[in-house]
Amino acid sequence: MEKSKIRLLILLSLFYILILSACNQKIESVDKSGENEKVETLDQEEKEKVDISNQDDLVESVEKTSNNEKITEDNHLNSSLTLVLEDVIPRDPSIDNNVYGYELNFILKYINQTDKDIKGFLAETYFYDMFGELVYTLDFKYEWDVIPANGSTNFNTAVDLNQFKDADMRFYNLPFENMTFKYKIKSIIFTDGTKI
């Protein structure tokens, strides 16, 4: 993947150099009113406009390529491991003597779609309300039990929330049935030491 990025950047750089050299050459036009040919050149301001336009096009092209490669990589990671949020259980310290603060317990299922055992992974998770508004984001780091190749494992975890933060309490009070869960796998480490 790195080689293709380097090749693309070299090709785009060469393309950019060709455009710049073409812009620096004189533009010739024929004056049809007389017998003599008249040679006109772009003035400096027009050259700068062309240079800036070409630079913007080059940057936009590189960004689109980078974004497409990133999307392909994200799709590959997300298709390698599926996270299923099965339930969210709020725990209130005024009711539950086993907790010291407001807490949300997550019951998750991790499904390994690969032919290798997964040792751990990093993921960003997003929680939305029923209107599609982002309510909370969490970084998940899993490094406990092995997730078997083409298998799954169940996992329970919890997050402590600050009762004095509006965003935390909004998340705490969001009913599970009104919650939409999305995720983006950042990296996966397999038991054989390889990673994606």
Side-chain angles (χ1 to χ4, degrees):
M1 179 139 325
E2 287 299 319
K3 287 182 182 179
S4 65
K5 285 182 184 177
I6 291 170
R7 286 184 188 139
L8 177 66
L9 287 174
I10 290 171
L11 287 173
L12 289 173
S13 298
L14 290 172
F15 180 69
Y16 180 68
I17 290 168
L18 286 172
I19 290 173
L20 282 179
S21 66
C23 291
N24 288 330
Q25 293 179 355
K26 293 180 180 177
I27 295 179
E28 297 181 6
S29 65
V30 177
D31 182 9
K32 305 238 184 216
S33 64
E35 295 176 15
N36 297 336
E37 288 185 359
K38 183 178 176 184
V39 177
E40 297 178 340
T41 59
L42 289 174
D43 64 6
Q44 189 60 31
E45 185 177 312
E46 289 174 340
K47 283 183 184 179
E48 288 173 3
K49 285 180 185 174
V50 170
D51 288 348
I52 289 170
S53 172
N54 290 336
Q55 287 173 358
D56 291 344
D57 291 345
L58 179 65
V59 168
E60 185 179 330
S61 176
V62 170
E63 286 175 352
K64 282 181 181 176
T65 302
S66 294
N67 287 341
N68 287 342
E69 288 176 356
K70 183 69 177 151
I71 289 167
T72 301
E73 183 180 328
D74 289 346
N75 288 341
H76 175 63
L77 285 167
N78 283 346
S79 65
S80 298
L81 180 65
T82 304
L83 309 185
V84 179
L85 182 64
E86 295 185 333
D87 202 1
V88 177
I89 303 165
R91 295 182 71 188
D92 184 337
S94 65
I95 299 170
D96 189 341
N97 293 333
N98 295 322
V99 293
Y100 299 103
Y102 288 88
E103 178 179 291
L104 282 178
N105 286 0
F106 300 97
I107 300 171
L108 296 147
K109 183 175 191 173
Y110 302 144
I111 305 168
N112 183 350
Q113 309 284 350
T114 70
D115 295 331
K116 296 188 205 180
D117 294 341
I118 294 176
K119 184 177 184 180
F121 69 87
L122 292 173
E124 290 176 2
T125 59
Y126 310 93
F127 300 87
Y128 298 86
D129 65 14
M130 62 190 280
F131 300 104
E133 186 176 323
L134 181 65
V135 176
Y136 212 81
T137 61
L138 283 171
D139 290 332
F140 269 47
K141 182 180 189 179
Y142 180 82
E143 55 188 347
W144 289 272
D145 297 328
V146 170
I147 307 169
N150 297 305
S152 65
T153 189
N154 293 324
F155 185 71
N156 297 346
T157 189
V159 62
D160 294 321
L161 299 171
N162 185 337
Q163 66 180 345
F164 302 108
K165 283 187 173 181
D166 290 340
D168 283 17
M169 293 315 293
R170 181 171 179 221
F171 185 39
Y172 178 83
N173 291 312
L174 180 64
F176 177 68
E177 58 272 8
N178 294 345
M179 186 181 294
T180 301
F181 172 71
K182 295 184 181 179
Y183 62 89
K184 181 159 88 171
I185 305 295
K186 303 297 284 181
S187 67
I188 298 172
I189 300 175
F190 298 100
T191 55
D192 65 3
T194 59
K195 61 181 173 178
I196 54 173

